[in-house]
Amino acid sequence: MLLSARAEPALRVLLALIGAITTLPALALVNVGILDWNYGVAAPAPMTQALLQHRGMLQLLLGAAIMWAAFHPPVRLAAALAAVAGKTTFLALILPNAAIRGDLSPLSVWFDLFCIVVLGLLAARLLTLPRRA
């Protein structure tokens, strides 16, 4: 068993919240102003807008996978590993570049770091569980 009967509901709530928050960049599909708030990009060039809106769609899919994992334990490892890989890649691309780092919402950075730690620990726990035959 991954968690005690008392801890499982807390994990479900945590995963559901992480998943829901992860989906928020998808709002850029219906309100381009979100791009300014989240990424510091006001009046983006058409290609930049399309790429950031596409990123929003990918975040919607990732968030949905994390929410699914909250209530369907067999997908937890895949969802956790996908989120850790995606969020780590995003931060690795953004944080070293001082020219763009300042435009990113600090809340986004802290949220992604939190997710990397929590979902990384979950993935490590799932990977170290004894396998059932």
Side-chain angles (χ1 to χ4, degrees):
M1 177 176 230
L2 174 61
L3 295 172
S4 70
R6 290 182 57 191
E8 180 65 22
L11 178 61
R12 287 181 179 190
V13 168
L14 182 60
L15 288 174
L17 284 172
I18 287 173
I21 294 168
T22 296
T23 67
L24 292 178
L27 293 173
L29 292 165
V30 294
N31 180 359
V32 180
I34 297 295
L35 298 176
D36 187 28
W37 176 79
N38 204 29
Y39 304 111
V41 178
M47 179 56 86
T48 301
Q49 178 179 327
L51 289 171
L52 288 173
Q53 287 176 314
H54 181 257
R55 182 182 191 282
M57 183 61 197
L58 294 175
Q59 289 295 104
L60 176 67
L61 296 172
L62 179 61
I66 296 168
M67 286 190 281
W68 182 27
F71 302 101
H72 190 67
V75 301
R76 285 182 181 167
L77 180 60
L81 290 174
V84 168
K87 290 175 180 295
T88 300
T89 300
F90 178 68
L91 292 179
L93 291 169
I94 298 294
L95 294 181
N97 188 334
I100 58 176
R101 179 178 59 231
D103 292 334
L104 187 63
S105 164
L107 182 60
S108 295
V109 174
W110 286 110
F111 175 71
D112 281 353
L113 288 171
F114 173 78
C115 291
I116 290 166
V117 170
V118 169
L119 297 172
L121 289 171
L122 176 61
R125 175 72 174 122
L126 291 169
L127 288 168
T128 59
L129 284 175
R131 304 278 178 198
R132 292 185 193 165

